[in-house]
Amino acid sequence: MDNASSPPGPRTRRNRDRRGRGMRGPAVLPRQPGVPELRTARERFDDLALGIVTAIDARWQDRLGLVEYAVEDAPQIPDDWDSGTVPLSSLVRGTGATPTRLVLFRRPIEHRCETRTELEAMVLTIVVEQVAELLGIDAEQVDPRYDAGDQPD
């Protein structure tokens, strides 16, 4: 009998699976089963957008009126879309009882940012510019944190 195919010595516990990938599963076990311990990218983006929108809306509420703010993953782009870029947001002015609606598109915004700081600046820039358009004023007047040099592509 040839022992060339069996491993030498006693078997040791592997730290990696047979494909060399290592342990799978969450890095942090949840305290409560069924509830993830770490927040998802979507939840982190929603929190960021909510903080920015809340501050700006509170400052301009008397002039803005009723505005609905939303975050969607990506815009619905028609098949015949001929622009080379994907929209980062959508602004639909309200009429009558229908409120104005400002929608941020999470995935295209995240795709353009490498760091959390860039993401914060991008979301701030988009919201400020859309609110400025609604109010008919310069973006610099909407929020003191706005930097005209951080404009999205």
Side-chain angles (χ1 to χ4, degrees):
M1 182 176 211
D2 186 13
N3 286 339
S5 62
S6 63
R11 269 196 120 186
T12 60
R13 184 171 176 201
R14 291 182 181 173
N15 289 333
R16 299 188 174 276
D17 67 6
R18 66 183 180 174
R19 292 177 186 84
R21 292 191 185 117
M23 223 170 75
R24 294 288 187 200
V28 177
L29 294 175
R31 287 179 235 167
Q32 183 178 4
V35 178
E37 194 68 30
L38 302 175
R39 299 179 53 74
T40 64
R42 178 179 292 141
E43 291 170 332
R44 289 189 307 268
F45 186 90
D46 288 348
D47 288 345
L48 169 66
L50 181 62
I52 290 170
V53 163
T54 301
I56 292 173
D57 191 67
R59 183 171 181 202
W60 295 99
Q61 179 59 45
D62 58 330
R63 288 191 53 196
L64 280 173
L66 183 59
V67 178
E68 288 182 351
Y69 300 94
V71 174
E72 293 183 9
D73 281 339
Q76 296 288 330
I77 297 179
D79 292 336
D80 60 348
W81 184 261
D82 60 353
S83 175
T85 61
V86 176
L88 302 178
S89 66
S90 169
L91 179 64
V92 179
R93 292 182 184 269
T95 56
T98 306
T100 297
R101 185 167 169 84
L102 172 58
V103 179
L104 300 174
F105 299 120
R106 180 179 66 88
R107 297 298 307 232
I109 294 171
E110 288 177 333
H111 184 72
R112 288 177 172 85
C113 302
E114 291 183 16
T115 65
R116 176 76 178 182
T117 305
E118 287 180 8
L119 184 63
E120 291 173 6
M122 178 74 74
V123 172
L124 176 71
T125 299
I126 293 167
V127 172
V128 165
E129 289 178 356
Q130 295 291 20
V131 169
E133 183 177 328
L134 276 174
L135 297 173
I137 61 176
D138 290 334
E140 291 83 9
Q141 294 176 281
V142 174
D143 192 287
R145 299 172 292 174
Y146 176 78
D147 181 10
D150 288 341
Q151 292 180 4
D153 298 337

